[in-house]
Amino acid sequence: MKSINDYRGIVDDRIISNIYKLANRLYGKRVIHVNSTYYGGGVAEILSSLVPLMNDAGIDAGWRIIRGSNDLFSITKKFHNALQGDSINLSTIKKKLYMQANEDFSTYTHLDHDLVIIHDPQPLPLIQFYKKRQPWIWRCHIDLSHPHAELWDYLKGFILKYDSMIVSHESYKNDLPMRHYIINPAIDPLTHKNKPLNDVTIKKIINKFHIPTDKPLITQISRFDKWKDPIGVINVFKRVKKKIDCRLILCGNMASDDPEGLKIYEKVKQDAQHLIKSGDLILLTYESHILVNVLQQISRVIIQKSIREGFGLTVTEALWKQTPVVASRVGGIPLQIEHGINGFLYDPHDYDGFAEQIIELINNDELAHRIGTAGKEYVREKFLITRILIDYLELINQHLN
Amino acid sequence: MKSINDYRGIVDDRIISNIYKLANRLYGKRVIHVNSTYYGGGVAEILSSLVPLMNDAGIDAGWRIIRGSNDLFSITKKFHNALQGDSINLSTIKKKLYMQANEDFSTYTHLDHDLVIIHDPQPLPLIQFYKKRQPWIWRCHIDLSHPHAELWDYLKGFILKYDSMIVSHESYKNDLPMRHYIINPAIDPLTHKNKPLNDVTIKKIINKFHIPTDKPLITQISRFDKWKDPIGVINVFKRVKKKIDCRLILCGNMASDDPEGLKIYEKVKQDAQHLIKSGDLILLTYESHILVNVLQQISRVIIQKSIREGFGLTVTEALWKQTPVVASRVGGIPLQIEHGINGFLYDPHDYDGFAEQIIELINNDELAHRIGTAGKEYVREKFLITRILIDYLELINQHLN
């Protein structure tokens, strides 16, 4: 069972003590989280760590997932994209299915809690279907700075009923008049994706997935998605390869609900067939957290050449492994990396910048070590799950005490 | 919103009145159902109707689904098969993952309800992780008459803690000393799969899925699974085809977690390539409830040639559409069909029996109509969701009053 004390030794004892202190006016308070899925995506990952830890702190924290058909989730995926600026046909049928799923769920989900925390747009309208008798908080993990106007106006009708909202970054909020909080994402250092692995395990995983380790590895962990620019990564790699014999790994699972992802994967496969054949480029599409963990540990450099990015948790994960990261100066990445101090930032179109930096890191062990160490310490200070737990405890105290 | 009054006109007013009467000592009682999925399979379908109706009756009925990884569900699928007699390697790691998922779920699922109803094996061990302060019921939808001995002994360790259990049929129970109830499955006449459709909708669906209607249609609705014997259905069809020009439709979705299903589908496709090419055999793998509804309505005969069967809800659905059914005398099918009265039963290996009966039904409209009408009335009396609701209300009264 996940317990707060497990994080002793990873974070300072003062953090542990602070968590217990913040919880001591919250014993037995009933808090409920509602989101759309138990697995898949960053929100589910955070909740799977956060909710048990809240309980360990003495709060009665529950976790529910809304019941949604494939139709509902294809609609809310369109909402998700339109909140980030895409266009959408906001039809009556879309609104109806969205409302219906929320109303149905409300009939058998009795919310008599002290505080309700709703995650992202899928269960947002739930608030319409209850007599409000506690504070409701909307926790949105999406960048809301440039939403589709009509959709935004529609969703505001629900959002305004909430007492406050949480976004991941100052720049993500919009023109809402309510109280808002900023909670940056974070990683759990004790999951399969992030925990330290011993050499035997690493070797086993390397063998299982046939990862060659004879040459330096450069790796990008990301879905096959245009915003992650896998083609651009290959172009950077070609420049590096002219100077240093090394290999590139692109590792990303293919979301089954993402036909575009499959197209991009196929394009990468075709464009780079010679590199693949020669073994210089390795494409991995397994959904294995432990594989990601190993790749982040054994690679000489992690690249994250996103054109657009949310927070960029893959960067956080890589920094935590003490592996130097060269990344685009987009989205939440500059929050995590200070150029030249704990990693490197380049404009996503600066192929030469990326390539030269990677070459330097492979050639200069001392630099790689110094940058990697600083990266890990920065994550320890700012982007571990214990900090999210503290953020939530403070926020819950403000609402209930 | 689903309401009990919507079933007026479908079932007798005395049934409606009886439901309200049975509920009147249960107002505000808090009952919780826990199963493993919101969608996919008969249990989720029944709960999606039953739980809202319980709430409409005045009970505070909740519905939770256990959080399980793919690993967990592949283990519990093996449990499922082994409970029906397959062998299993009951390893320590399987038990550990099974227990871990239940313990994790228990940390953020606070059960302070008046009654807990646990469905099937996935959340069965939950009872280990609570201080028991209410009756717990295990509702098992699986045939438990010939379980794998070692697995059964292991699971009994949890089952014995329950106050009572529910099985779908008298013959499904095992040697357990506790109070048990029989609740036969049933269908909801108001879902997309079962509601009456107007001609315009039927035509639209026929066009959308390119269903030819120029010749009599014989249809089996079933997963591509050896126990549903699709190859046997084709053999029956070949015999029918010698006498009457007609078409066969095999309609079944392919479970993504079922590699065996894909193999059987491929085998059918290869074995029957000539029939497919000539258009006499049509294979449909869409996951569309409304398509199933239409096929059950427009087919001249529904065949269900299972070699092994649970209850056989596809038979119930077909009977409800007033379409004559010719089915195997296995599993729960004889509970639903009295041979020659409201359908026909044959030994699964009696190809000639199946074929001759289908020919007779296509040739004899009066017989088809009489049998179809009797089929529908039998379902109305015994196998509609309102009867399940009554069964549960009686059972809850027995536990709480």
Side-chain angles (χ1 to χ4, degrees), chain A residues 1 30 38-39 44 48 51-52 55 60-69 100 103-105 107-108 110 112, chain B residues 1 30 38-39 44 48 51-52 55 60-69 100 103-105 107-108 110 112:
Chain A
M1 297 301 313
R30 303 179 67 232
Y38 278 144
Y39 280 95
S48 72
V51 178
N55 278 286
D60 280 6
W63 180 9
R64 305 271 198 287
I65 61 173
I66 190 170
R67 180 174 188 256
S69 61
Q100 189 64 56
E103 184 171 11
D104 285 353
F105 183 69
T107 55
Y108 48 81
H110 303 91
D112 49 0
Chain B
M1 299 300 314
R30 304 179 67 231
Y38 277 145
Y39 280 96
S48 72
V51 179
N55 279 285
D60 281 6
W63 180 8
R64 306 271 200 285
I65 60 174
I66 190 171
R67 180 174 189 258
S69 61
Q100 189 63 56
E103 184 171 11
D104 285 352
F105 183 70
T107 54
Y108 48 81
H110 304 91
D112 50 359

Side-chain angles (χ1 to χ4, degrees), chain B residues 191-195 197 201-213 217 219-221 249-253 282-299 302 317 321:
Chain B
T191 59
H192 284 299
K193 213 192 238 174
N194 296 310
K195 70 181 179 191
L197 300 173
T201 307
I202 291 177
K203 203 149 195 181
K204 224 174 75 184
I205 299 296
I206 286 172
N207 288 335
K208 181 173 170 190
F209 291 98
H210 310 290
I211 312 295
T213 53
L217 293 173
T219 300
Q220 174 161 303
I221 313 279
I249 295 180
L250 294 177
C251 176
N253 62 0
I282 299 160
L283 304 183
L284 301 173
T285 57
Y286 309 102
E287 239 184 291
S288 165
H289 282 187
I290 204 148
L291 171 64
V292 168
N293 191 339
V294 166
L295 290 174
Q296 287 167 337
Q297 291 202 34
I298 67 171
S299 294
I302 294 287
E317 290 160 16
K321 311 303 181 333

Side-chain angles (χ1 to χ4, degrees), chain A residues 5-204:
Chain A
N5 268 16
D6 296 342
Y7 296 82
R8 285 195 61 201
I10 299 171
V11 297
D12 196 279
D13 275 355
R14 279 171 305 179
I15 304 280
I16 305 291
S17 168
N18 192 24
I19 290 171
Y20 287 123
K21 209 176 72 193
L22 282 166
N24 79 10
R25 295 175 65 199
L26 298 175
Y27 298 142
K29 293 289 183 192
R30 303 179 67 232
V31 173
I32 186 82
H33 291 272
V34 184
N35 79 318
S36 65
T37 179
Y38 278 144
Y39 280 95
V43 180
E45 268 182 45
I46 285 174
L47 288 174
S48 72
S49 298
L50 178 68
V51 178
L53 290 177
M54 279 189 167
N55 278 286
D56 192 44
I59 299 176
D60 280 6
W63 180 9
R64 305 271 198 287
I65 61 173
I66 190 170
R67 180 174 188 256
S69 61
N70 290 338
D71 283 348
L72 176 77
F73 292 136
S74 85
I75 291 168
T76 54
K77 181 153 199 195
K78 288 189 181 112
F79 283 9
H80 180 110
N81 292 335
L83 281 172
Q84 296 185 84
D86 281 10
S87 71
I88 188 173
N89 166 24
L90 192 60
S91 60
T92 310
I93 178 81
K94 284 198 188 79
K95 291 183 196 172
K96 199 181 140 188
L97 278 165
Y98 182 49
M99 295 305 281
Q100 189 64 56
N102 277 275
E103 184 171 11
D104 285 353
F105 183 69
S106 75
T107 55
Y108 48 81
T109 303
H110 303 91
L111 298 181
D112 49 0
H113 299 74
D114 298 304
L115 180 69
V116 179
I117 304 174
I118 301 292
H119 293 260
D120 285 335
Q122 298 92 342
L124 173 64
L126 266 189
I127 197 166
Q128 298 278 81
F129 303 108
Y130 291 89
K131 177 163 168 51
K132 198 157 172 268
R133 44 186 171 189
Q134 67 279 89
W136 284 59
I137 298 173
W138 189 46
R139 199 295 179 230
C140 184
H141 300 260
I142 306 169
D143 181 350
L144 299 173
S145 54
H146 299 95
H148 179 270
E150 185 191 356
L151 176 67
W152 185 236
D153 187 60
Y154 171 62
L155 295 182
K156 263 205 229 173
F158 313 119
I159 300 170
L160 290 171
K161 289 195 161 185
Y162 283 77
D163 295 82
S164 48
M165 66 182 286
I166 308 169
V167 291
S168 293
H169 186 236
E170 183 68 31
S171 70
Y172 281 12
K173 66 175 167 148
N174 200 294
D175 58 351
L176 292 161
M178 67 230 294
R179 181 154 61 148
H180 72 272
Y181 297 84
I182 313 292
I183 299 186
N184 287 154
I187 60 169
D188 184 340
L190 294 180
T191 60
H192 284 299
K193 214 191 237 172
N194 296 310
K195 69 182 181 191
L197 300 173
N198 61 38
D199 291 347
V200 177
T201 305
I202 291 177
K203 203 149 193 179
K204 224 174 77 183

Side-chain angles (χ1 to χ4, degrees), chain B residues 102-166:
Chain B
N102 276 275
E103 184 171 11
D104 285 352
F105 183 70
S106 76
T107 54
Y108 48 81
T109 303
H110 304 91
L111 297 181
D112 50 359
H113 298 76
D114 298 303
L115 180 69
V116 179
I117 304 174
I118 300 292
H119 293 259
D120 285 336
Q122 298 91 343
L124 173 65
L126 266 189
I127 196 165
Q128 298 278 81
F129 302 109
Y130 291 90
K131 176 163 168 50
K132 198 156 172 269
R133 45 185 168 189
Q134 68 278 88
W136 284 58
I137 298 173
W138 189 46
R139 198 295 180 232
C140 184
H141 299 261
I142 305 168
D143 181 350
L144 299 173
S145 54
H146 299 94
H148 180 270
E150 185 191 356
L151 177 66
W152 185 236
D153 187 61
Y154 171 62
L155 295 183
K156 263 205 231 174
F158 313 118
I159 299 170
L160 291 171
K161 289 196 163 186
Y162 283 76
D163 296 82
S164 48
M165 68 181 285
I166 307 170

Side-chain angles (χ1 to χ4, degrees), chain B residues 19-35:
Chain B
I19 290 171
Y20 287 122
K21 211 177 71 192
L22 282 166
N24 78 11
R25 295 174 65 197
L26 298 175
Y27 298 142
K29 293 289 185 192
R30 304 179 67 231
V31 173
I32 186 83
H33 291 271
V34 184
N35 79 319

